[in-house]
Amino acid sequence: MTTTLENTRRPDITFHGSGRIDITARVAKALSLHQGDVIDIAHDDGEYYLYVKHRNAVGRHEAQCAPTYKGRTCNNLRAHSRRLCQAVLKVNGNYTTARLPVGEPLQHQGLGTALPIIIKRNIPR
């Protein structure tokens, strides 16, 4: 017997080879992300952490968050950084798209609130 839905887990963050980063509402809420915030990924002892590098940055920045659409209640965000995407895709072993889950938020000494990214666990479409 086969099932139609083999995997029901949805990704929390998606990195595309073009440099587009799709951030779900769950991640945005956990990090208190808003339009204009700049995200980054830190590597520490084999762990990868997503965190907010700059809050409400003025001007144009790489990996700066923007809403996915211009509606009143847009909770999903998008950022663009080819360097960040290529680094994640290289570690993930996939060179087109990495659809990744994240762990629970934690307080990191140097980063503040951060989300551990489960970088080796690519969620199939």
Side-chain angles (χ1 to χ4, degrees), residues 7-73:
N7 182 15
T8 59
R9 177 74 164 103
R10 296 179 68 187
D12 293 313
I13 189 163
T14 305
F15 296 90
H16 299 272
S18 64
R20 187 178 85 198
I21 304 167
D22 295 325
I23 304 165
T24 62
R26 177 181 175 268
V27 172
K29 184 178 178 183
L31 290 176
S32 299
L33 280 175
H34 298 288
Q35 182 176 351
D37 292 346
V38 178
I39 60 169
D40 196 4
I41 294 177
H43 179 257
D44 184 29
D45 292 331
E47 295 285 332
Y48 291 86
Y49 298 101
L50 178 70
Y51 71 100
V52 180
K53 187 166 190 144
H54 299 293
R55 294 258 179 218
N56 205 8
V58 177
R60 292 178 46 157
H61 294 267
E62 188 174 6
Q64 189 171 23
C65 295
T68 56
Y69 62 94
K70 302 292 182 195
R72 286 182 49 207
T73 57

Side-chain angles (χ1 to χ4, degrees), residues 57-98:
V58 177
R60 292 178 46 157
H61 294 267
E62 188 174 6
Q64 189 171 23
C65 295
T68 56
Y69 62 94
K70 302 292 182 195
R72 286 182 49 207
T73 57
C74 178
N75 298 322
N76 297 319
L77 298 174
R78 182 169 288 152
H80 293 275
S81 172
R82 186 168 289 214
R83 289 188 300 165
L84 199 59
C85 285
Q86 287 177 348
V88 169
L89 292 172
K90 184 177 178 182
V91 173
N92 182 263
N94 188 349
Y95 295 101
T96 56
T97 303

Side-chain angles (χ1 to χ4, degrees), residues 96-114:
T96 56
T97 303
R99 299 164 42 92
L100 305 173
V102 299
E104 293 298 317
L106 54 90
Q107 289 298 320
H108 193 277
Q109 278 185 338
L111 307 175
T113 303

